[in-house]
Amino acid sequence: MSLTAGIVGLPNVGKSTLFNAITKQQILAANYPFATIDPNVGTVIVPDKRMIFLENLYKPERTIPTTFEFTDIAGLVKGASKGEGLGNKFLSHIRETDAIVEVVRCFEDNNIIHVDGNVDPIRDVEVINVELILADLEIIDNRINKIGKKAQTTKNKEDLKEYNLLVKIKESLEKNIPIRNLSLTEDEIKIVSSFNLITLKPIIYVANVNEEVVATNGNDYVEKLKEYAKKENSEVVMICAKIESELSELEEEEKKEFLNDLGIEESGLSQLIKATYSLLGLATYFTVGSDEVKAWTFKKGMKAPECAGIIHTDFEKGFIRAEVMSYTDLEEQGNEQKVKEKGKMRLEGKDYIMQDGDICHFRFNV
């Protein structure tokens, strides 16, 4: 299951530095707008301590963690929705992602140019968000113009339903309210899903701070950003992109020492990956054995046959049942045999809704 979060932000806020750290790929990170023109996609491992326990228990030939994709999208500027700074090209890249990670500069540095001359996280967020809203408004207006007369003339039930929804969304966007804040029903989301509306996507804000702030609770800029995000039920992850870039060059033990010296338990990057994974409603199940321990990504709410289909379509077509135990029970009991003796191993059918941490063996017949 391949899902992608797009990293957006104004030029020179630390986007490309963060992306370098995320992927360990050295893309162009220059101190001027539009250093990044084409989107870059990087795959990251989702940190999961459960894999260490499973690997030690089963001693498999190979261990395969679950992964997640980030797309670095070039810096947006005011007027992007009208094509400023190659904006239309960048906005089309954002439409292809599943979630938005918006990097916001929350540090002072006279050596790094700010496109607007000074640091103001709320102004920066609003510049980006207004451009995303304007881009969506253009699509909604075009669709209303196309379907409006037909819906009102023919009184077709489905056309009227879509038209009324589009009008509701248009009114919201004109008040600078992103679509994700409208609490649309599943049926309404289905109606507009083909439009790839940017402001319907879930968003997480990254407060990029300097080295002095990273081991603290933040600064005034971070607090302002948190207040802004709280109003739209979004989350803020505080990161020092420069430190994350340095960490990405170190071996695992060196990373731990570095983090300890900074007084940090977990890197900002790990927090961001976990937060983005959760933002998209993703969870992990495992398959285990002496040959392989593997983590699989699924969307919360998926049933056992659908999850089996992630491994192979034949598993879903011929699904019979799933043999399931929870990671918590396995860790608590120490091995599979004890889990069975305690009656914690279960056989689940087609209607079973998979849970994060399930360890599964799927039985199927094709």
Side-chain angles (χ1 to χ4, degrees):
M1 173 171 286
S2 179
L3 292 169
T4 305
I7 305 176
V8 303
L10 293 173
N12 301 336
V13 297
K15 261 184 343 78
S16 292
T17 304
L18 177 61
F19 183 78
N20 288 348
I22 281 174
T23 61
K24 295 188 180 179
Q25 295 176 20
Q26 294 307 306
I27 62 167
L28 180 61
N31 182 27
Y32 56 88
F34 318 124
T36 319
I37 292 176
D38 294 314
N40 294 268
V41 179
T43 302
V44 296
I45 291 171
V46 178
D48 196 328
K49 291 178 181 177
R50 295 174 295 189
M51 291 293 284
I52 299 169
F53 173 82
L54 294 173
E55 187 175 21
N56 290 335
L57 180 63
Y58 289 94
K59 296 181 170 48
E61 293 174 20
R62 59 188 176 274
T63 302
I64 305 173
T66 191
T67 58
F68 187 83
E69 286 185 352
F70 282 95
T71 300
D72 180 42
I73 294 162
L76 291 169
V77 292
K78 192 171 184 178
S81 59
K82 303 298 179 188
E84 290 292 326
L86 306 178
N88 287 331
K89 184 178 180 181
F90 303 156
L91 289 166
S92 70
H93 294 148
I94 300 170
R95 292 196 189 283
E96 301 307 313
T97 65
D98 301 289
I100 298 170
V101 174
E102 186 168 332
V103 182
V104 185
R105 180 168 167 175
C106 292
F107 66 91
E108 298 277 359
D109 189 333
N110 293 330
N111 295 317
I112 300 177
I113 303 160
H114 191 291
V115 288
D116 287 319
N118 67 311
V119 178
D120 184 340
I122 305 308
R123 176 204 58 210
D124 292 356
V125 166
E126 289 180 343
V127 166
I128 295 286
N129 290 358
V130 163
E131 293 305 322
L132 303 185
I133 282 171
L134 289 173
D136 277 353
L137 194 54
E138 184 179 0
I139 285 179
I140 295 297
D141 278 337
N142 288 341
R143 184 61 183 169
I144 286 175
N145 290 338
K146 188 174 182 180
I147 198 176
K149 282 186 179 178
K150 179 188 171 189
Q152 291 171 317
T153 304
T154 65
K155 302 297 181 185
N156 177 278
K157 189 178 176 182
E158 294 305 311
D159 287 344
L160 277 172
K161 188 190 289 184
E162 181 183 339
Y163 174 74
N164 290 331
L165 173 59
L166 293 171
V167 169
K168 181 171 82 170
I169 290 173
K170 176 181 167 72
E171 290 171 353
S172 167
L173 293 173
E174 287 176 338
K175 294 173 185 173
N176 280 344
I177 299 170
I179 303 167
R180 62 180 165 271
N181 289 357
L182 285 181
S183 301
L184 300 183
T185 65
E186 282 187 27
D187 187 40
E188 289 175 324
I189 291 172
K190 194 174 179 181
I191 291 171
V192 296
S193 60
S194 63
F195 303 150
N196 276 345
L197 296 165
I198 301 173
T199 66
L200 181 57
K201 301 177 191 296
I203 191 168
I204 191 165
Y205 295 101
V206 170
N208 187 16
V209 299
N210 56 25
E211 297 96 314
E212 291 75 31
V213 175
V214 75
T216 69
N217 290 325
N219 55 25
D220 288 344
Y221 294 139
V222 175
E223 287 308 308
K224 286 176 182 176
L225 184 58
K226 283 181 177 178
E227 286 173 22
Y228 182 94
K230 190 176 180 181
K231 290 174 186 174
E232 57 173 45
N233 296 314
S234 295
E235 190 177 343
V236 174
V237 175
M238 191 171 71
I239 280 181
C240 175
K242 187 178 177 183
I243 286 177
E244 298 300 327
S245 184
E246 291 171 11
L247 281 169
S248 71
E249 302 299 323
L250 301 178
E251 297 298 326
E252 206 55 44
E253 285 305 313
E254 292 175 316
K255 279 184 188 177
K256 288 178 184 175
E257 285 180 27
F258 192 178
L259 291 172
N260 283 336
D261 290 343
L262 292 170
I264 304 169
E265 285 186 18
E266 186 178 30
S267 75
L269 181 50
S270 290
Q271 294 175 51
L272 174 61
I273 294 168
K274 288 178 182 176
T276 310
Y277 197 72
S278 175
L279 181 72
L280 281 169
L282 302 179
T284 304
Y285 77 84
F286 305 95
T287 51
V288 297
S290 58
D291 59 334
E292 179 182 276
V293 166
K294 185 166 183 177
W296 302 86
T297 298
F298 69 98
K299 290 215 82 162
K300 291 174 184 174
M302 285 177 71
K303 293 182 178 179
E306 294 175 279
C307 287
I310 293 170
I311 299 175
H312 197 287
T313 52
D314 284 351
F315 283 29
E316 182 173 6
K317 289 175 188 172
F319 181 89
I320 300 170
R321 56 185 174 272
E323 194 174 272
V324 182
M325 60 179 164
S326 75
Y327 171 84
T328 307
D329 289 335
L330 180 61
E331 186 182 40
E332 194 176 281
Q333 299 304 322
N335 59 54
E336 278 189 34
Q337 186 57 41
K338 288 183 180 176
V339 171
K340 289 176 182 176
E341 288 170 4
K342 291 285 184 179
K344 302 279 189 178
M345 186 77 77
R346 315 183 308 274
L347 288 176
E348 301 289 359
K350 292 182 178 180
D351 292 328
Y352 174 66
I353 296 173
M354 293 280 284
Q355 301 299 310
D356 183 63
D358 278 348
I359 299 171
C360 303
H361 174 67
F362 296 107
R363 299 183 184 180
F364 70 102
N365 183 28
V366 177

